Amino acid sequence: MPGDESWHSAVADEPVVPPASFVEQANVADADVRENFEREHPACWERAADLLDWSTDYDTVLTEDGPPFRWFEGGRLNASYNCVDRHLDERKNQVALTWEGRLGESRSYSYLDLYREVNEFAAALRGLGVEEDDIVTLYMPVVPELPVAMLACARIGAPHSVVFAGFSADALATRMEDADSEYLVTCDGYYRRGAPVHQKNKADNAAMALDDGVEATVVVDRLGDDTPLADDEYDYGELVTEHRGETVEPVERDATDQLFLIYTSGTTGEPTGVRHTTGGYLSYAAWTSHAVLDIKPEDTHWCSADIGWITGHSYTVYGPLALGTTTMLYEGTPDHPEKDRVWELIERNAVDVFYTAPTAIRAFMKWGEEHPGSHDLSSLRLLGTVGEPINPRAWKWYYTHIGDEDCPVVDTWWQTETGGMMVSTLPAVDDMKPGSAGQPLPGVDARVVDIDGEPVEPGETGYLALTGPWPGMPLSMVEHEDWFAEHASVVPDLSDYDWAYFTEDSATVDEDGYITVLGRVDDVINVSGHRFGTMEIESAIADVSGVAEAAVVSGPHDLKGQAVYAYVSATEEDEGALRERIAGAVEDAIGPIAVPDVVVFTSELPKTRSGKIMRRLLEDIANGDDLGDTSALRNPEVVGELESALPDRG
Ligand code: PRX
């Protein structure tokens, strides 16, 4: 963790130069690319739009009388056509999706196979009554039917809302209710460490919790057992067979029409739906896949994120398929059946580009370099990371033991809201500085500012703000004239900018303009690269009988970077039983991944004289930081109790 010796590296204070062999073949190698984008703004973004096929050309790149900003206005296109149909002429027999299942199975779809199944499932969805602009919820683990369903929805202009399979029934119901979604595609279950998990039970419980129920549910048979289906439930395989050979004309969508919805956590107690556009988002996912991940059609690309998160949307499905490459899907965990699983998969599939999270890299490091060392990883050309800060020591390990010092590492900063990467090195253009994400990408206006909105001096900590539009911006920002006004109460003061969005991250910037992201300043915990609002977890714990009050903050964790710490004042003595009930409640409300790693029982929570829980103090205690001034506390005596109640994190 930051400040800890093992987090940092003695090496790599010098910038690392991109390998010449990489530069020679890179998609973007023009040293002036940032200047060119700036000079040509907004026409520079034609480069992104040109990566797609438009059924009707756009009139303007950006309507700049905004906000509201409208990207590629007048343009019409279909995302499924762009990710599938248009590749058929040149590569119908090339593998589009290759899937590695949890039980060691593998399955591949050529672009022609993908075209057929997307069409058949699109016809099936239509047959069930799904119309343009209906929201279809997809609740599945990483199986090929998930991207097929996403593309089938895109084909008929029905925005999808993918809900991470590990989320609970309650979490699914909340999202379906909020989205007003009446159609659900799920599966009977999936395997976790070889044992079946019954997903359909969770889907059934969610359906029961919905006021209007579900119009139709489609169930993918993943377990191979005979899960009984009700009248409004349909077997995926049977539906596809019924519609065998049917084709569905891709529905032309406006560039600004919604392609999908995805939920993420913020400061409120409820998850927020982020709506991404068809033209802007897809061009941006394709452009960043091209410029940063350097994807070529002949590559095999592996983004290890679950498709339930934005990373999987942009860099497993939409970006790679828009570029006509082979994208790999992996359902399993990195250490099952053995700790060399990831390297075995890279070797067997000759993966060219590997994109993963720092948490995973820290686990690989811990397991030892003998695991990658026993495999031929020479197919790799580029490595990437996303989701949380990467410590220089982990960066260097990745660069050396996985990339053999011959692959650039891109540390990409972005968010669910941005749709695609915003800050990163360009792998053939920029030197790499381990631990620092890099400069804003060409055409991206990101800066680190102080509380008054003024750019900070190099080395000083400030707030990361986006101060100009980009094609991947979500509809809330595109449409909302008052986006900034609504956020104006949030630090820092960005009112001098025509338009600005505060990312809720803190960061520093160096004299070369390289941005190092430090973490969130709001009440969001980033666990293994996944976002959870502390309020969501707190409200689940507060409902547990025997709990008087709870406060949730982030604390250190040597693998995950951050972990969920819950401080609980209890009315019940049996801490063991209470601990179990708390874990169960969080699992039911959100899912197993949000269950607190550390629960600290206390007689009272530290409060100000006005009765507000001092969460910052709890966070400092969890991190072992200096507590500073505690004079605002009404009950300073609890501080010592809390410090001594923390487990030894040795
Ligand atoms: O705090 C930043 C962190 O992840 C947050 C966004 O989370 P989410 O919307 O779930 O999207 C994750 C995948 C894009 C950011 O506000 N974050 C993301 N990438 C990085 C990062 N922190 C440091 N370095 C990164 N490369």
Side-chain angles (χ1 to χ4, degrees):
M1 53 226 72
D4 178 332
E5 204 35 48
S6 66
W7 185 269
H8 293 285
S9 168
V11 286
D13 282 336
E14 290 297 306
V16 181
V17 178
S21 56
F22 179 87
V23 176
E24 273 165 24
Q25 60 75 62
N27 287 342
V28 175
D30 173 7
D32 297 332
V33 60
R34 282 192 175 80
E35 289 75 20
N36 292 341
F37 263 69
E38 204 173 317
R39 201 182 49 250
E40 296 166 25
H41 181 84
C44 54
W45 288 113
E46 282 175 19
R47 292 180 184 74
D50 285 350
L51 294 171
L52 304 181
D53 278 3
W54 298 77
S55 49
T56 307
D57 281 343
Y58 48 88
D59 304 318
T60 47
V61 173
L62 172 65
T63 35
E64 269 204 288
D65 51 348
F69 298 107
R70 286 181 301 278
W71 285 95
F72 310 121
E73 193 165 45
R76 289 172 72 76
L77 75 167
N78 180 281
S80 146
Y81 176 87
N82 271 283
C83 291
V84 187
D85 306 35
R86 67 174 178 144
H87 303 310
L88 293 180
D89 275 354
E90 279 186 40
R91 52 185 72 97
K92 67 173 189 283
N93 295 320
Q94 180 195 309
V95 175
L97 300 179
T98 186
W99 174 75
E100 296 279 353
R102 238 170 240 263
L103 302 183
E105 328 88 306
S106 35
R107 217 186 322 154
S108 288
Y109 288 62
S110 66
Y111 271 97
L112 182 59
D113 298 331
L114 185 63
Y115 171 80
R116 288 188 176 134
E117 196 157 317
V118 166
N119 272 280
E120 287 156 1
F121 194 55
L125 288 173
R126 279 245 175 100
L128 296 175
V130 179
E131 292 179 1
E132 193 172 349
D133 290 320
D134 284 346
I135 309 275
V136 180
T137 301
L138 310 177
Y139 184 51
M140 280 183 269
V142 178
V143 288
E145 289 81 358
L146 177 51
V148 168
M150 291 163 81
L151 294 164
C153 287
R155 195 165 194 89
I156 59 174
H160 53 72
S161 167
V162 181
V163 176
F164 173 60
F167 275 134
S168 66
D170 283 0
L172 172 64
T174 309
R175 287 159 177 75
M176 289 188 74
E177 194 85 64
D178 183 81
D180 211 2
S181 171
E182 296 180 331
Y183 295 93
L184 176 65
V185 185
T186 185
C187 66
D188 52 356
Y190 58 93
Y191 295 94
R192 194 158 62 202
R193 302 196 173 274
V197 176
H198 289 279
Q199 186 79 352
K200 173 82 175 13
N201 294 349
K202 291 198 285 176
D204 290 346
N205 289 337
M208 279 189 292
L210 291 174
D211 287 345
D212 299 327
V214 177
E215 188 67 35
T217 302
V218 179
V219 184
V220 173
D221 180 7
R222 171 72 186 101
L223 296 181
D225 55 6
D226 285 323
T227 305
L229 298 179
D231 285 351
D232 55 356
E233 296 178 340
Y234 304 84
D235 177 75
Y236 176 94
E238 283 175 17
L239 280 181
V240 164
T241 309
E242 258 169 47
H243 293 275
R244 184 72 77 220
E246 286 179 33
T247 54
V248 172
E249 195 58 29
V251 170
E252 277 197 21
R253 301 280 281 168
D254 282 345
T256 49
D257 279 344
Q258 185 180 347
L259 175 59
F260 65 84
L261 171 69
I262 183 165
Y263 282 87
T264 189
S265 294
T267 35
T268 65
E270 295 295 321
T272 317
V274 178
R275 294 174 300 136
H276 279 291
T277 65
T278 308
Y281 167 85
L282 193 63
S283 336
Y284 200 66
W287 163 253
T288 45
S289 298
H290 169 83
V292 182
L293 295 175
D294 194 53
I295 289 178
K296 322 264 195 304
E298 54 278 14
D299 284 345
T300 296
H301 169 68
W302 183 15
C303 160
S304 73
D306 193 291
I307 296 174
W309 310 111
I310 190 71
T311 308
H313 281 57
S314 302
Y315 300 112
T316 298
V317 181
Y318 285 113
L321 292 178
L323 297 182
T325 195
T326 300
T327 187
M328 190 169 118
L329 275 54
Y330 178 49
E331 190 195 26
T333 44
D335 58 347
H336 186 81
E338 300 296 338
K339 290 195 167 60
D340 68 340
R341 179 70 166 144
V342 167
W343 321 119
E344 184 261 320
L345 288 171
I346 290 179
E347 180 174 13
R348 182 151 49 78
N349 291 284
V351 169
D352 298 85
V353 177
F354 180 52
Y355 189 42
T356 194
T359 294
I361 298 168
R362 287 191 289 269
F364 300 147
M365 257 173 95
K366 191 174 162 198
W367 298 338
E369 59 221 44
E370 63 275 20
H371 298 295
S374 63
H375 291 277
D376 176 2
L377 304 180
S378 59
S379 61
L380 288 170
R381 185 175 80 245
L382 178 114
L383 300 171
T385 80
V386 59
E388 29 164 349
I390 180 162
N391 46 310
R393 194 158 162 260
W395 191 103
K396 186 72 185 170
W397 188 90
Y398 195 34
Y399 180 71
T400 308
H401 296 290
I402 309 307
D404 198 22
E405 302 193 355
D406 206 27
C407 302
V409 173
V410 287
D411 170 2
T412 61
W413 176 90
W414 56 295
Q415 305 183 307
T416 306
E417 290 85 344
T418 70
M421 301 159 179
M422 301 295 278
V423 178
S424 166
T425 49
L426 280 170
V429 175
D430 303 323
D431 290 354
M432 298 163 267
K433 300 189 187 186
S436 172
Q439 299 172 68
L441 287 175
V444 168
D445 208 344
R447 54 188 92 191
V448 183
V449 298
D450 64 17
I451 193 81
D452 301 317
E454 296 294 327
V456 295
E457 293 296 321
E460 277 176 20
T461 300
Y463 303 98
L464 181 60
L466 303 176
T467 44
W470 69 101
M473 64 202 301
L475 276 169
S476 49
M477 296 187 205
V478 169
E479 285 174 350
H480 239 255
E481 305 228 17
D482 295 332
W483 174 263
F484 174 69
E486 269 186 21
H487 283 66
S489 60
V490 184
V491 285
D493 176 4
L494 298 169
S495 52
D496 279 350
Y497 297 92
D498 289 341
W499 180 88
Y501 159 71
F502 175 41
T503 65
E504 319 269 350
D505 276 341
S506 66
T508 61
V509 61
D510 72 8
E511 54 293 338
D512 298 323
Y514 278 53
I515 294 173
T516 298
V517 176
L518 302 171
R520 307 278 305 191
V521 300
D522 58 1
D523 294 323
V524 166
I525 308 184
N526 191 329
V527 182
S528 309
H530 303 139
R531 250 161 87 170
F532 297 101
T534 52
M535 294 283 287
E536 287 171 56
I537 307 177
E538 268 173 31
S539 59
I541 299 178
D543 284 345
V544 172
S545 70
V547 168
E549 250 185 331
V552 168
V553 299
S554 74
H557 192 283
D558 59 351
L559 287 184
K560 298 182 191 175
Q562 288 188 327
V564 178
Y565 281 52
Y567 293 86
V568 175
S569 71
T571 54
E572 180 178 309
E573 304 256 300
D574 183 351
E575 288 186 0
L578 201 49
R579 225 175 261 281
E580 268 178 35
R581 289 212 293 278
I582 289 171
V586 176
E587 203 167 320
D588 287 349
I590 304 168
I593 41 173
V595 169
D597 298 86
V598 175
V599 179
V600 177
F601 291 103
T602 170
S603 56
E604 247 187 305
L605 293 171
K607 291 195 178 156
T608 60
R609 294 209 167 78
S610 59
K612 261 183 84 179
I613 298 172
M614 281 191 69
R615 288 190 174 70
R616 290 283 161 234
L617 182 79
L618 290 170
E619 202 159 299
D620 288 344
I621 294 174
N623 284 295
D625 289 346
D626 179 18
L627 302 186
D629 184 8
T630 55
S631 61
L633 278 185
R634 192 186 63 195
N635 50 353
E637 66 284 358
V638 299
V639 172
E641 184 191 329
L642 288 168
E643 281 177 320
S644 55
L646 268 182
D648 181 9
R649 297 184 299 265

